[in-house]
């Protein structure tokens, strides 16, 4: 079944991480005139060659957003490759992982990208960069970037970059379709259909990026027929108690936000303090972690109203064999997170592509891996992802059928999946926005 996918965007001004909506899935764009072919820099291995296969991981491990905010995908990918090497690697060749912390800056990102390309990496995997300034260089060098987190618009702009969520944008050097991206309203439709929600609140800071994302959420909610309550707090001196009191007065069923994780915890505590009860306090995939109980320790009622939505299978679903394999390999991690699972899926994606290339005459090269991933149409990483593809749509989407993964936090049980993600599907409008 072909589906449209959400594109997740993040803004980091004033250290606010915001995940937005997204574009549809499709196939890879033909090569464009601005590219430079650097694929000859990768050596074709001789039959029986045991030379390690080199891959790169770029993560903003240190950044203005804070420590460990962007390390989940890296940790998941690293765990996959460690397990893979224990099992003999790919076609008898171990995978050598080169990591680079770009510090969350464009300058640092360019330095990481240049270094890894010069090191001869076959691909980048699970890229998680606050400022992906090096994306044009990666695209010109035709280095496949597989399963990256689309924190900005790069994955909907440049060929050879493959988001973990897929895209159908005509990646010709401009974001999306003539500078516009499109996102669906499936999250709002879900809570309306499944829980009868009618009134939704959107909380933001008085800061440009936060306010812009809040307006996007408000548009989506109104398109689904919600009564929308908007709340804005001062970034420097936020009065969350006043917001919580108004949420109670307005009778909000749902609370969405355009604020950071620390602000969310304070908002939840204020909601508990004033007795504001909601059907769901909805968060995003980046905050879908096992650290919830500690982060929201002063807000038990609000904590148990936390819901998360995304495009990958709940990391708590250990009854699924692919999730169980991930959890077994990462049992030594202090906490678990959805981004870790998505990084693991990205590394598996590279491995599947490289394994297929190993059987080809040219072997495992950038060009072969790029072609394999670029032709993806419904890739799921063994059931960890909703189907991903890159089939280009020349026209922007207006409506689409979109599925989503949904989980709710419950003390003592963790994140509990709400239905099968391949069945939580909706025909929804796609709304245009500028990244």
């Amino acid at each position: 079944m072909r589906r449209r996918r959400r594109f997740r965007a993040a803004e980091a001004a004033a250290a606010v991480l915001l995940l937005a909506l997204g574009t549809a899935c499709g196939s890879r764009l033909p090569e464009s005139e601005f590219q430079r072919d650097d694929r000859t820099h990768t050596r074709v291995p001789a039959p029986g060659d045991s030379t390690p296969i080199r891959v790169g991981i770029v993560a903003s491990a240190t950044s203005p957003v804070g420590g460990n905010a962007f390390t989940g995908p890296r940790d998941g990918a690293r765990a996959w490759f460690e397990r893979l090497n224990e099992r003999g690697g790919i076609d008898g060749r171990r995978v050598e992982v080169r990591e680079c912390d770009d510090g969350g800056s464009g300058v640092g990102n360019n330095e990481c990208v240049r270094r890894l390309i010069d090191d001869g990496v076959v691909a980048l995997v699970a890229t998680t960069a606050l400022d992906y300034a090096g994306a044009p260089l990666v695209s010109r060098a035709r280095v496949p970037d597989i399963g990256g987190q689309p924190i900005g618009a790069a994955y909907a702009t440049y060929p050879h970059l493959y988001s973990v969520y897929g895209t159908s944008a005509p990646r010709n050097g401009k974001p999306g379709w003539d500078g516009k991206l499109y996102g669906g309203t499936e999250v709002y439709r879900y809570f309306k259909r499944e829980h009868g929600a009618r009134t939704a609140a959107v909380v933001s800071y008085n800061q440009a990026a936060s306010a812009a994302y809040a307006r996007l959420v408000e548009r989506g909610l109104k398109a689904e027929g919600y009564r929308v309550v908007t709340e804005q707090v001062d970034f420097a001196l936020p009065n969350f108690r006043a917001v919580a009191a108004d949420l109670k007065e307005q009778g909000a069923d749902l609370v969405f936000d355009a604020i950071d994780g620390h602000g969310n915890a304070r908002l939840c505590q204020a909601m508990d303090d004033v007795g504001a009860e909601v059907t769901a306090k909805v968060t995003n995939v980046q905050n879908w972690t096992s650290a919830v109980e500690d982060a929201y320790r002063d807000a038990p009622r609000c904590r148990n109203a936390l819901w998360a939505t995304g495009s990958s299978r709940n990391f708590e679903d250990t009854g699924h064999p692919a999730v169980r394999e991930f959890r077994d390999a990462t049992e030594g991690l202090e906490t678990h997170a959805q981004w870790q699972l998505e990084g693991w899926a990205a590394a598996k994606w590279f491995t599947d592509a490289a394994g297929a290339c190993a059987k080809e005459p040219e072997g495992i090269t950038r060009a072969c891996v790029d072609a394999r991933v670029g032709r993806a149409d419904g890739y799921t990483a063994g059931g960890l992802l909703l189907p991903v593809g890159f089939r280009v749509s020349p026209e922007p989407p207006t409506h689409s059928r979109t599925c989503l993964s949904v989980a709710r936090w419950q003390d003592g049980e963790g994140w509990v999946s709400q239905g099968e993600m391949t069945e939580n599907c909706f025909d929804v409008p796609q709304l245009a926005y500028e990244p």
Side-chain angles (χ1 to χ4, degrees), residues 131-178:
D131 182 358
Y132 198 176
L137 177 57
V138 174
S139 181
R140 287 195 299 270
R142 300 185 181 184
V143 175
D145 177 342
I146 303 168
Q149 289 290 339
I151 293 166
Y155 288 93
T157 302
Y158 301 105
H160 309 294
L161 274 60
Y162 303 104
S163 157
V164 72
Y165 306 126
T167 183
S168 66
R171 293 166 289 155
N172 55 9
K174 285 196 230 179
W177 291 262
D178 294 325

Side-chain angles (χ1 to χ4, degrees), residues 92-129:
R93 300 170 64 192
R94 63 183 297 274
V95 175
E96 180 182 295
V97 178
R98 296 290 180 94
E99 297 181 19
C100 192
D101 173 13
D102 66 12
S105 74
V107 172
N109 186 263
N110 268 312
E111 290 176 352
C112 279
V113 163
R114 291 182 187 280
R115 183 188 314 161
L116 293 172
I117 291 174
D118 289 345
D119 279 350
V121 298
V122 173
L124 300 179
V125 177
T127 299
T128 313

Side-chain angles (χ1 to χ4, degrees), residues 156-157 169-182 393-396 432-435:
T157 302
R171 293 166 289 155
N172 55 9
K174 285 196 230 179
W177 291 262
D178 294 325
K180 291 185 178 180
L181 302 176
Y182 289 76
S393 174
E395 299 296 329
Y433 66 97
E434 295 184 0

Side-chain angles (χ1 to χ4, degrees), residues 1-9 20-27 147-150 155-156 162-169 177 181-187 285 309-313 338 341-342 345 349 376-381 383-391 393 396-405 421-426 428-431 433:
M1 177 178 62
R2 190 165 295 147
R3 306 161 46 268
R4 299 292 189 185
R5 312 288 278 142
R6 287 180 302 156
F7 171 79
R8 304 186 186 283
L21 301 173
T23 57
C25 63
S27 65
Q149 289 290 339
Y155 288 93
Y162 303 104
S163 157
V164 72
Y165 306 126
T167 183
S168 66
W177 291 262
L181 302 176
Y182 289 76
T185 60
E186 62 276 1
V187 173
V285 68
T309 64
S311 298
S312 54
R313 190 171 296 279
Q338 202 64 17
L341 179 140
E342 292 182 354
W349 196 348
D377 188 13
Y379 183 79
T380 68
L384 293 177
L385 305 174
L386 284 165
V388 181
F390 300 95
R391 185 182 299 277
S393 174
T398 57
H399 284 76
S400 66
R401 181 168 175 78
T402 308
C403 305
L404 70 159
S405 177
M421 67 178 184
T422 58
E423 298 174 1
N424 288 332
C425 304
F426 308 89
V428 294
Q430 296 286 313
L431 307 180
Y433 66 97

Side-chain angles (χ1 to χ4, degrees), residues 172-223:
N172 55 9
K174 285 196 230 179
W177 291 262
D178 294 325
K180 291 185 178 180
L181 302 176
Y182 289 76
T185 60
E186 62 276 1
V187 173
Y188 319 128
R189 180 75 59 86
Y190 171 84
F191 285 102
K192 182 179 179 181
R193 189 186 79 175
E194 299 296 323
H195 300 282
R198 293 293 181 270
T199 299
V202 184
V203 182
S204 65
Y205 289 126
N206 61 341
Q207 181 265 340
S210 179
Y213 178 62
R215 288 193 295 270
L216 178 62
V217 174
E218 183 181 356
R219 281 181 58 211
L221 287 164
K222 287 183 175 178

Side-chain angles (χ1 to χ4, degrees), residues 201-247:
V202 184
V203 182
S204 65
Y205 289 126
N206 61 341
Q207 181 265 340
S210 179
Y213 178 62
R215 288 193 295 270
L216 178 62
V217 174
E218 183 181 356
R219 281 181 58 211
L221 287 164
K222 287 183 175 178
E224 289 295 332
Y226 283 84
R227 181 173 76 89
V228 181
V229 177
T230 58
E231 306 280 355
Q232 192 171 86
V233 294
D234 184 84
F235 178 75
L237 297 170
N239 186 347
F240 287 115
R241 190 178 183 86
V243 170
D246 194 51
L247 294 178

